[in-house]
Amino acid sequence: MNPVLYNLMAEYGMALDEDRLEDWVELFEEACDYRIVTRENVEQGLPNVLIWCDNKNMLRDRVESYRNVNLYNPHYDRHVIGLLRLVGEKDGLWTFDASYSLFQTDLEGESRLFSVGRYRVEARVEGKAAKLKTVTVIADTGQIPSLLATPI
Amino acid sequence: MNPVLYNLMAEYGMALDEDRLEDWVELFEEACDYRIVTRENVEQGLPNVLIWCDNKNMLRDRVESYRNVNLYNPHYDRHVIGLLRLVGEKDGLWTFDASYSLFQTDLEGESRLFSVGRYRVEARVEGKAAKLKTVTVIADTGQIPSLLATPI
Amino acid sequence: MNPVLYNLMAEYGMALDEDRLEDWVELFEEACDYRIVTRENVEQGLPNVLIWCDNKNMLRDRVESYRNVNLYNPHYDRHVIGLLRLVGEKDGLWTFDASYSLFQTDLEGESRLFSVGRYRVEARVEGKAAKLKTVTVIADTGQIPSLLATPI
């Protein structure tokens, strides 16, 4: 596995957890695709998508709207991302999976499990740099409030 | 740490989580050993073993029986496996530990912590391929239903 | 990311989880700094520190006092540490972050989430060896009993 990809996914989680959402957007290419689906829907062949941004401007818009509403859901996120499972590589485009656990901590300092699932990622590596082309979050956990949610 | 081993353990978790139990069995050598013990028993020197397969055919049998009963315990598993701690290497046989957290999600989409513990692994590396020789799951969590349980 | 650092952090977690606190101390340089702070305090610019050892002898003392009180809080710890995010490297001194989840299991074998947060680490790498210079634990979770607590 390419160590650049380990660093990319570490930064992916850290940017979200530190509320650096604009930095998180910059991890993507312009022609990118980010979506959150539930595993149940995937396995039943249902087309439901909880969040879907099919280019970088949509990601930017989403982050901007989130900035306008996040007063109402103050919490800390914490991603613990597992080992990367390589699926394949072609012409510098790497496909891999990674399990994640996502915890939330409320204003009283209490932490709880918020979501678990898997990332399916395509990332382009050029030398020591890497950009995300597609990220599909396949959440095992079913209850995901979509309006106020930060990205997973 | 050998990156091949990172990929091996990532696939180990993904195969279980995606219910590809037959693929999981294929990660092992023919002469292998897979067992689940509790940490309490290990520390008290007790011989209790929750699951024990001492060759690959026993793993195959176990997966087959699981296929006949799994209707009764439908859920999603999710392994988040931590960094690998190298213990040693001799003649291509690597010994290492890794912590795991295992979450289960029920049919209502609710996720909960199911088990935490540690893997002690011996794996044989040949070039870019690796096979599991022994996997001992040492579970901190005590309550492990053994009959219907998927491997950890 | 330097694979030596992955191994260092894996051993960091394992030493704590296996109650090898003396081994954990040996991962640090003599001139080291270990502290636990809450994220809330960091973000509010408050100087509160839950645990602070600013050299290796203080770490040794802390471990020794813990050995005298740990009868009263018997449990198993389990760290699952996520991918390392490289911040920078200069003259062999590496700075990186890693998210952690920490679970505790009580005498009845029940496991629960105890703390989540992030490590900010400076580590010195010389060949295949690495030593910790500073570890700052920034805990999202607010409730950390400080007297009887093992290091995080």
Side-chain angles (χ1 to χ4, degrees):
Chain A
M1 174 53 76
N2 198 315
V4 171
L5 300 176
Y6 267 82
N7 214 50
L8 176 67
M9 291 309 291
E11 170 62 8
Y12 178 104
M14 285 288 172
L16 293 178
D17 293 347
E18 296 173 355
D19 199 31
R20 296 185 285 107
L21 300 179
E22 293 77 9
D23 291 349
W24 173 77
V25 170
E26 288 312 311
L27 298 176
F28 288 84
E29 295 187 339
E30 286 297 329
C32 61
D33 188 291
Y34 174 78
R35 63 181 84 184
I36 302 180
V37 297
T38 63
R39 181 164 171 179
E40 193 185 8
N41 280 348
V42 169
E43 299 195 353
Q44 295 179 352
L46 298 173
N48 310 34
V49 172
L50 297 174
I51 293 179
W52 187 2
C53 298
D54 70 1
N55 62 65
K56 198 164 171 175
N57 279 328
M58 284 183 71
L59 283 178
R60 289 185 186 102
D61 287 352
R62 178 152 193 105
V63 165
E64 197 180 324
S65 358
Y66 177 78
R67 288 294 183 213
N68 295 323
V69 296
N70 73 351
L71 285 179
Y72 305 99
N73 184 23
H75 67 266
Y76 296 140
D77 277 334
R78 178 60 53 195
H79 289 74
V80 180
I81 300 177
L83 314 177
L84 308 190
R85 190 257 310 253
L86 179 64
V87 176
E89 188 268 328
K90 204 187 167 194
D91 300 334
L93 189 68
W94 295 69
T95 304
F96 59 91
D97 292 317
S99 288
Y100 71 85
S101 51
L102 172 54
F103 305 91
Q104 285 197 347
T105 302
D106 63 23
L107 289 183
E108 278 73 45
E110 274 200 61
S111 301
R112 65 187 184 91
L113 181 64
F114 179 72
S115 178
V116 295
R118 172 166 68 95
Y119 299 114
R120 162 58 59 104
V121 180
E122 291 177 304
R124 202 176 304 281
V125 178
E126 290 179 3
K128 296 212 167 187
K131 286 276 191 186
L132 295 165
K133 181 176 165 55
T134 70
V135 175
T136 303
V137 181
I138 303 159
D140 297 353
T141 311
Q143 303 91 339
I144 298 174
S146 66
L147 187 62
L148 299 178
T150 37
I152 291 181
Chain B
M1 176 54 77
N2 198 314
V4 172
L5 299 176
Y6 267 82
N7 214 51
L8 176 67
M9 291 310 291
E11 169 62 9
Y12 178 104
M14 284 289 173
L16 293 178
D17 293 347
E18 296 173 356
D19 199 30
R20 296 185 285 105
L21 301 179
E22 293 76 9
D23 291 350
W24 173 77
V25 170
E26 288 311 311
L27 299 175
F28 288 84
E29 295 187 338
E30 286 297 328
C32 62
D33 189 291
Y34 174 77
R35 63 182 83 184
I36 303 180
V37 296
T38 65
R39 181 165 170 178
E40 194 187 8
N41 281 347
V42 169
E43 299 195 352
Q44 296 179 352
L46 298 174
N48 310 32
V49 172
L50 297 173
I51 294 180
W52 188 2
C53 299
D54 70 1
N55 62 65
K56 198 164 172 176
N57 278 329
M58 284 183 71
L59 283 178
R60 289 185 186 104
D61 287 353
R62 178 153 194 105
V63 165
E64 197 181 324
S65 357
Y66 177 77
R67 289 294 183 213
N68 294 324
V69 297
N70 74 350
L71 286 178
Y72 305 99
N73 184 24
H75 66 266
Y76 296 141
D77 277 334
R78 179 60 53 195
H79 289 75
V80 179
I81 300 176
L83 315 178
L84 309 191
R85 189 257 309 251
L86 179 63
V87 176
E89 188 268 329
K90 204 187 165 193
D91 301 334
L93 189 67
W94 295 69
T95 304
F96 60 91
D97 292 316
S99 288
Y100 72 83
S101 51
L102 172 55
F103 305 91
Q104 285 197 345
T105 302
D106 64 23
L107 290 184
E108 278 73 45
E110 275 200 61
S111 300
R112 65 187 185 90
L113 180 63
F114 180 71
S115 177
V116 295
R118 171 168 68 94
Y119 298 114
R120 163 57 61 100
V121 180
E122 291 177 304
R124 202 176 304 280
V125 177
E126 290 179 6
K128 297 213 165 186
K131 286 276 191 186
L132 296 165
K133 182 177 163 57
T134 70
V135 175
T136 303
V137 181
I138 302 159
D140 295 354
T141 311
Q143 302 92 338
I144 299 173
S146 65
L147 186 63
L148 299 178
T150 36
I152 290 180
Chain C
M1 175 53 76
N2 197 314
V4 172
L5 299 176
Y6 266 82
N7 215 50
L8 177 67
M9 292 309 290
E11 170 62 8
Y12 178 104
M14 284 288 172
L16 293 178
D17 293 347
E18 297 174 354
D19 199 30
R20 295 186 286 106
L21 300 179
E22 293 77 9
D23 291 349
W24 173 77
V25 170
E26 288 311 311
L27 298 176
F28 288 84
E29 295 187 339
E30 286 297 329
C32 62
D33 189 291
Y34 174 77
R35 64 182 83 185
I36 303 180
V37 297
T38 65
R39 182 165 170 178
E40 193 186 8
N41 280 347
V42 169
E43 299 194 353
Q44 295 180 353
L46 299 175
N48 310 34
V49 172
L50 298 173
I51 294 181
W52 187 3
C53 299
D54 70 0
N55 63 65
K56 199 164 171 176
N57 279 329
M58 283 183 72
L59 283 179
R60 289 185 186 104
D61 287 352
R62 178 151 194 106
V63 165
E64 196 180 324
S65 358
Y66 177 78
R67 289 294 183 213
N68 296 323
V69 298
N70 73 349
L71 285 177
Y72 306 100
N73 184 23
H75 67 267
Y76 296 141
D77 277 334
R78 179 60 54 194
H79 289 75
V80 179
I81 300 176
L83 314 178
L84 308 190
R85 189 259 308 253
L86 180 64
V87 176
E89 188 269 328
K90 203 186 168 197
D91 301 334
L93 189 68
W94 295 69
T95 304
F96 60 90
D97 291 317
S99 288
Y100 71 84
S101 50
L102 172 55
F103 305 92
Q104 285 196 347
T105 302
D106 63 22
L107 289 184
E108 277 73 47
E110 275 199 61
S111 301
R112 65 188 185 89
L113 181 64
F114 179 72
S115 178
V116 295
R118 172 166 68 94
Y119 299 114
R120 162 58 60 101
V121 180
E122 292 177 303
R124 202 176 304 280
V125 178
E126 289 179 6
K128 297 213 166 186
K131 286 277 189 186
L132 296 165
K133 182 177 163 56
T134 70
V135 176
T136 303
V137 181
I138 303 159
D140 296 354
T141 311
Q143 303 93 340
I144 298 173
S146 65
L147 186 62
L148 299 178
T150 37
I152 290 180

